[in-house]
Amino acid sequence: MRARVADTVGTFFSGNMIAYVFAWFICGVIVAVTGLILWMTFVPGLPFDAGLSLSNYREVLGTSHLWRVVLNTFWVGSGTVFVSIFFGVPLGWLLNRTDLPLRSLFITMLAVTVIMPGLVKAMGWIMLLSPQVGIINKLLMELFRLKAAPFDINSIWGIAFIQGLMLTPSMFFLISGPMRSLDPSLEEAAEVVGANRWKTLFWITSPVLWPAILGGVIYIFMTGIAIFEVAGILGGLSENRVLATELFLAVQPFEGSLEIKYGVAGVYGFLIMLPSLVGLFFYFQSIKQAHRYAVITGKGYRPKTFALGRVQLPAMLFVFLFLLLAVFLPFLVLLWASLLPSLRMPSMEALSLVSLRWYEEIHYLVGGMEVIKNTLLLVVTSSVLVLFFSFMVSWVVVRTKLRTRRLLDTIAMLPHAIPGIGFAFALLIIGIMGARWTPWLPFYNTVWIIVVGNILTRMSYATRITNAALLQIQQELEDAALVCGARKWVAMLRVMGPLIRPSLVFAGLWTALLVFREVSVALLLGGPKNKVLATQLWILWRQGNLSEAAALSIVLILIMGLLILLLQKMTGSVGQVRVTPQIGEEKL
Amino acid sequence: MRIGTRIVIFAAVLLTLATVAPRGVPVLSAASPVVTEGQGLLRRLVEGAKKEGQLDLMVVSSVGEKGARELTSAFKRRFGLDIQMNADISGQESQKFNQALAETKSGIPPTFDLMQGEPPVVLMLQRSGGLEPIENWEVLLAEIAPEGYKVKEKVSPKGVAGYGFVWANRISGLLYNPKLIPERDLPKTWKEMGEPKYRGAFSLPPWTTITLMGLIKYDKEAWLEVVKSWGKSKPQILTYDAGTQRMMLGDLKFLEGNDYYYFEQKAKDPNAPIGLTYFQDLTPMREVLYVVRKGTRHPNAAKLFALWASSPEANSIFEKYSYTQNTALGSGPVTQQILKRLKALNIKPVSWFDNPETLEKFLWLGTGEGQEYSRAIARAQREGT
Amino acid sequence: MLTVESLHKTFVTGEGKVGAVRGVSFEVGEGTFLTLLGPSGCGKTTTLRCVAGLEHPDSGKITIGKDVAYSGSEGVAVPAYRRGVGMVFQSYAIWPHMTVYDNVAFPLVHGGFKVPKSQVKEKVRKALSLVGLEKLENRPAPLLSGGQQQRVSLARALVYEPRLLLLDEPLSNLDAKLREEMRLELRELITRLKISTLYVTHDQEEALVLSDRIAVMSEGQILQEGQPRDIYLNPQHPFVASFIGAANFVDGKARGARDERGGVVVETALGQVVGSSSQDIKAGETVSVIFHPEDVLVRTDGDARGTNVFPGTVERLIFVGNRIQCRVRCGELQINSDVSSRVDVRQGTKVFIELPQENVRVLKLK
């Protein structure tokens, strides 16, 4: 009898049970919050007001320009995908599978670009490609004696271009895993039957990687149609409107009536979500395919590096071009702005005004120790919790035979289809309700509500990484530990832990970076006592203090860059989701 | 003095003291000086604030972190308070007021003790019962900011009297880039802005709060047509800050915006390519008011600050960091420069609170018909239809 | 067909330089089947990959047919896709996004062995029928079993009739029964096609069955090369002896002079053992006496006469069907013997073991 009880208790606390509980918990939260957003779309005023109605839907769907907005959104999404593939796929291949020099450094720089907020990049691009004053335009016009500026950044293509550059690192990191775990003998076999490097690349490597790339494409599309900051900055609030701008506008007192239409915002959120849901479906199809194709021999093969030979120089130039566009140029613009009292085009006159004034005032720009403390708390807690929950979800999805595990995976991806600001609103309502019914629980107006918002929105990417990581580890390694008498959680800790550590570190770091610079959620849920660095930066920007904002940005970028480099040195590598070496025959 | 008069005075003083005494002002000790009602009320507020020990308030973002600190320090110094003050400078006034509305409706303690915003959001919150009035505010104002007391109907205008207290006025002017367009070529009236020659030269903000103030001068249909003409030329829609940046970069020629931006930019850089003038037909002005939230946990500190914000001392700090003027007071340096310009151009800014008729028009906007009209204006501004 | 001369290859790993191939030379004659046999890490796969052009040697020379594929001294290095060899990988390397037909047709369509379109189908069908997979032409690759994948891999290697066939442990991922079947099929096929073949394996039985010649490798060097029978019966190196067949090793000191039959007398812990040796063994030299279990006669008749007869006790018996594996303790030594299952021995039986002189090899201890 006692043995039976002990058995039940043991099973309950067995590794799988723990995973089930936590995985279902977080998915339950996601479903609940999404449900709240959906419910809000049916409420005409605030959620406390009575009555459900379709008035919000009528308002949104009744607008004459909705069709154009949807079309714009589609073009922006496609353009974003195109640009991110154009740069991301070759970069993924060059930096993972070839002998290009300085690969490690380039990968670090890719990760660092994430720190620069989109609005800063957009501002930089205005200075470069605005039809009136863009430097590049002016240069080209002089060189080729053109009458009109060849590039106009204030267009759908401008938005897509900048967003594509912004999301290239995401594409890169999404396909790095599959690229590295590609069985090198597939390519060697092609070589032996007489296909040269390029034929191999075209006929063998690309088709096998395609499902993984497709997964990346869908993910980027979903992200691209939900971003507001770029479209908003590029003056696209009149002509080149996309669904995300509509959502933003619904939240402004634009319509004269001063009550913010949370419901309308929710409807736009769902309009954004619909194509993403369709995309999600295809995403899961394509990764199923990718798994079939993932011929991971697990025999300790290291991916074969492609010798670039004569192509090395063009390849380096390509990488430099990307870094120039995505990193250096915006960074230079930032630097330039930070050294001036206010932003102006480069000129002799401007040079005379250069000073370090804003850097000297950094402690004011930061906003005090409270801000730093809040930010640290936010970033660390969010990353740790995201990692924890992702691991749990991935465990259930990859390792167990639970029938509902596919559903779990889908739910984890769901937040990606909804703009973050939608979650922020839902959490606001939840916060208010919480303040009413459980006032003793610290939530509303604290850092914790922002933490929850970030956890919900970051799960989607983190689970991609932990899924891939767990897939690569043979079940047997863990089973061996169990047979030796170790409990499940000990096996998880001592066997799996070290093997997937690189992936976990990477996922944690990426999450931390994104949480660090996330603004919309932190802003909406911010009050007097939970200010964070991202909102400070945003405040400076919104006040038109671009120079101060630039100075703060530069300092933050340098700090984050250093941290990443440090982390890379400590854990071996950051961007490299390694194929875990198996214990087996070492081929010599 | 004749004895009779002395007795009368003494009785009057006693009578006053009798009315004041139940509120616990220690007046009857032999050595204490005679206090006025105002002083008594003030002291009670200060004592209350000391006990509360904290104040969560909104401060306009343009003062920045440094300005917020100076502001709060000055406040504490003025009243000898040593309380914790959490100033939120993240802006987003309309979002915060809406949140306040939700808080009021659900009956939870408010996030902020003290909020500041323009009349539309303030009136919305007041209508919903989210504001706490300051009793005897006139007397207190006289104590705290005598200069403000002199213009008290401007400091707390009819309509929000006792609820809202003006700390700044935002006046709409024309900001332009003198390198790209000389002053004489600028549109002289709001109507002219819609002319084809200005296509692509200016930006409009995404909000309609200023646009709607056209009703003060023009009639509904005519004004709608004017707004449509702007929208037809498909201008860029940018916030004032973004628009000003772009204009100085040379991307735009001019924009309608807050006049004090001119002084702000010039202070940062005397050679900034920015000029300031005003439309000749209509110059809208919005009061920016501090309001105390109902149900606040720190009412005394909040009330103190609300009243103090309309003082010249506070105004000088506001002007120092954000260049926002307080034309009611008329004392600060920026304010005086603005007043001088307005006088030179013979311009009289108008506001919703000017007279009962304008207030009536403003309240009409809140009705169903008014909301229809607002939506039409919004569509006109955005799309020109 | 293939000549490898003084091949050298080192790898740089986390622990420093590892000499994988250290001066390997061998030849594969026209139509011959040579196996590189050795334990994991001995360098056999690296050698094979150097021949294929998938690894770049440090020095040496590789000639395929009349062409120099690699020459360190002359600076020649023909890339893999131009060497015209066929290769079967250990993991088969079947391309998952293609059907069986496309996999096999690839060399003829996109590879280096292009033929006119009209001929492709015929050649592919022929190759598939060689491996018995004609019916699976249109099956998508991921749906094949391990054995089927291996055949497709072979068909792909053969479809363009290469002059040299390289096989990297192609049978090691199959289950035992399949392995045995495939072994024979493979041998038959290759003999029929008369293709020069270089095979790599760690399984000595496989090597013995398949090869015309075997080269035993250890630690980057070839220790002995020769016909399977020779290697088995005449190991020239203790390692070779231990690797091929299960051998008994007894160390001792040579007495020097040979006896009347030319045998070498060695003083061992067993006693005085007389064996044969092709090496020049001096007196007093420490040597290894090696003999196979199947050459150890177990006598229960109590007759202690004769050379190389030693007393012992049966310590352990393992019945493997047609034989009995006996472990006999002779003093401090354990001698393994394979006897017919009809021999009547039990644990603890006192026996005599006899080692016929011609089956005992004496090798210098290296």
Coordinates of all heavy atoms in Angstrom, one line a residue, chain C residues 307-332:
Chain C
T307 N 55.3 -33.0 -29.0 CA 55.7 -31.6 -28.9 C 54.5 -30.7 -28.6 O 53.4 -31.0 -29.1 CB 56.4 -31.1 -30.2 OG1 56.2 -32.0 -31.2 CG2 57.8 -30.7 -30.0
N308 N 54.7 -29.7 -27.9 CA 53.7 -28.7 -27.7 C 52.4 -29.3 -27.1 O 51.3 -29.1 -27.4 CB 53.2 -28.0 -29.0 CG 54.3 -27.1 -29.6 OD1 55.3 -26.8 -28.9 ND2 54.2 -26.8 -30.8
V309 N 52.7 -30.2 -26.1 CA 51.5 -30.8 -25.4 C 51.6 -30.3 -23.9 O 52.7 -30.4 -23.3 CB 51.5 -32.3 -25.4 CG1 50.4 -32.8 -24.6 CG2 51.4 -32.8 -26.8
F310 N 50.5 -29.7 -23.4 CA 50.6 -29.1 -22.1 C 49.4 -29.5 -21.3 O 48.3 -29.6 -21.9 CB 50.7 -27.6 -22.2 CG 51.8 -27.1 -23.1 CD1 51.5 -26.7 -24.4 CD2 53.1 -27.1 -22.7 CE1 52.5 -26.3 -25.3 CE2 54.1 -26.7 -23.6 CZ 53.8 -26.3 -24.9
P311 N 49.5 -29.7 -20.0 CA 48.4 -30.0 -19.2 C 47.6 -28.8 -18.8 O 48.1 -27.7 -18.7 CB 49.0 -30.6 -17.9 CG 50.3 -30.0 -17.8 CD 50.8 -29.6 -19.2
G312 N 46.3 -29.0 -18.6 CA 45.4 -27.9 -18.2 C 44.1 -28.4 -17.6 O 43.8 -29.6 -17.7
T313 N 43.3 -27.5 -17.1 CA 42.0 -27.8 -16.6 C 41.0 -26.9 -17.4 O 41.2 -25.8 -17.7 CB 41.9 -27.4 -15.1 OG1 43.0 -27.8 -14.5 CG2 40.6 -28.1 -14.5
V314 N 39.9 -27.6 -17.8 CA 38.8 -26.8 -18.5 C 38.2 -25.9 -17.5 O 37.6 -26.3 -16.5 CB 37.8 -27.8 -19.1 CG1 36.6 -27.0 -19.7 CG2 38.4 -28.7 -20.2
E315 N 38.2 -24.6 -17.8 CA 37.7 -23.6 -16.9 C 36.3 -23.2 -17.3 O 35.4 -22.9 -16.4 CB 38.6 -22.4 -16.9 CG 38.6 -21.6 -15.7 CD 39.6 -20.5 -15.7 OE1 39.6 -19.7 -16.6 OE2 40.5 -20.6 -14.8
R316 N 36.0 -23.1 -18.6 CA 34.8 -22.5 -19.0 C 34.4 -23.1 -20.4 O 35.3 -23.3 -21.2 CB 34.9 -21.0 -19.1 CG 33.6 -20.3 -19.5 CD 33.9 -18.9 -19.9 NE 34.5 -18.9 -21.2 CZ 34.9 -17.8 -21.8 NH1 34.9 -16.6 -21.2 NH2 35.5 -17.9 -23.0
L317 N 33.1 -23.4 -20.6 CA 32.7 -23.9 -21.8 C 31.5 -23.0 -22.3 O 30.6 -22.7 -21.6 CB 32.1 -25.3 -21.7 CG 33.1 -26.4 -21.2 CD1 32.3 -27.6 -20.8 CD2 34.0 -26.8 -22.4
I318 N 31.6 -22.7 -23.6 CA 30.5 -22.0 -24.2 C 30.0 -22.7 -25.5 O 30.8 -22.9 -26.4 CB 30.9 -20.5 -24.6 CG1 31.3 -19.8 -23.4 CG2 29.7 -19.8 -25.3 CD1 31.8 -18.4 -23.8
F319 N 28.8 -23.1 -25.5 CA 28.3 -23.9 -26.6 C 27.7 -23.0 -27.6 O 26.8 -22.2 -27.4 CB 27.2 -24.8 -26.0 CG 26.5 -25.6 -27.1 CD1 27.2 -26.7 -27.7 CD2 25.2 -25.4 -27.4 CE1 26.5 -27.5 -28.6 CE2 24.5 -26.1 -28.4 CZ 25.2 -27.2 -29.0
V320 N 28.3 -23.0 -28.8 CA 27.8 -22.1 -29.9 C 27.2 -22.9 -31.1 O 27.4 -22.6 -32.2 CB 28.9 -21.1 -30.4 CG1 29.1 -20.0 -29.4 CG2 30.2 -21.9 -30.7
G321 N 26.6 -24.0 -30.8 CA 25.9 -24.7 -31.9 C 26.9 -25.8 -32.4 O 26.9 -26.9 -31.9
N322 N 27.6 -25.4 -33.4 CA 28.5 -26.4 -34.1 C 29.8 -26.6 -33.4 O 30.6 -27.5 -33.7 CB 28.7 -26.1 -35.6 CG 29.2 -24.7 -35.7 OD1 29.3 -23.9 -34.8 ND2 29.6 -24.3 -36.9
R323 N 30.1 -25.7 -32.5 CA 31.4 -25.8 -31.8 C 31.2 -25.6 -30.4 O 30.2 -25.1 -29.9 CB 32.4 -24.7 -32.3 CG 32.3 -24.3 -33.7 CD 33.3 -25.0 -34.7 NE 34.6 -25.2 -34.2 CZ 35.3 -26.4 -34.3 NH1 34.7 -27.4 -34.8 NH2 36.5 -26.5 -33.9
I324 N 32.3 -25.9 -29.6 CA 32.3 -25.5 -28.2 C 33.5 -24.6 -28.0 O 34.7 -25.0 -28.4 CB 32.4 -26.7 -27.3 CG1 31.2 -27.6 -27.5 CG2 32.5 -26.3 -25.8 CD1 31.3 -28.8 -26.5
Q325 N 33.4 -23.5 -27.4 CA 34.5 -22.6 -27.1 C 34.9 -23.0 -25.7 O 34.2 -22.8 -24.7 CB 34.1 -21.2 -27.2 CG 33.9 -20.7 -28.6 CD 33.5 -19.2 -28.6 OE1 33.2 -18.6 -27.6 NE2 33.4 -18.7 -29.8
C326 N 36.2 -23.5 -25.6 CA 36.7 -24.0 -24.3 C 37.7 -23.0 -23.8 O 38.6 -22.5 -24.6 CB 37.5 -25.2 -24.5 SG 36.6 -26.7 -24.4
R327 N 37.7 -22.7 -22.5 CA 38.8 -22.0 -22.0 C 39.5 -22.9 -21.0 O 38.9 -23.5 -20.1 CB 38.3 -20.8 -21.2 CG 39.5 -19.9 -20.9 CD 39.2 -18.5 -20.6 NE 38.4 -18.4 -19.4 CZ 37.7 -17.3 -19.0 NH1 37.6 -16.3 -19.9 NH2 37.1 -17.3 -17.9
V328 N 40.8 -23.2 -21.4 CA 41.6 -24.1 -20.6 C 42.6 -23.4 -19.8 O 43.4 -22.5 -20.3 CB 42.3 -25.2 -21.5 CG1 43.1 -26.1 -20.7 CG2 41.3 -25.8 -22.4
R329 N 42.7 -23.7 -18.5 CA 43.7 -23.0 -17.7 C 44.9 -23.9 -17.6 O 44.9 -25.0 -17.2 CB 43.2 -22.8 -16.3 CG 44.1 -22.1 -15.4 CD 43.5 -21.5 -14.2 NE 42.9 -20.2 -14.5 CZ 43.5 -19.1 -14.6 NH1 44.8 -19.0 -14.4 NH2 42.9 -18.0 -14.8
C330 N 46.0 -23.3 -18.1 CA 47.3 -24.0 -18.0 C 48.2 -23.2 -17.1 O 48.9 -22.3 -17.5 CB 48.0 -24.2 -19.4 SG 46.9 -25.0 -20.5
G331 N 48.3 -23.6 -15.9 CA 49.1 -22.8 -14.9 C 48.5 -21.5 -14.8 O 47.3 -21.3 -14.4
E332 N 49.3 -20.4 -15.2 CA 48.7 -19.1 -15.0 C 48.0 -18.6 -16.2 O 47.4 -17.5 -16.3 CB 49.8 -18.1 -14.6 CG 50.3 -18.4 -13.2 CD 51.2 -17.2 -12.8 OE1 51.5 -16.3 -13.6 OE2 51.6 -17.2 -11.6

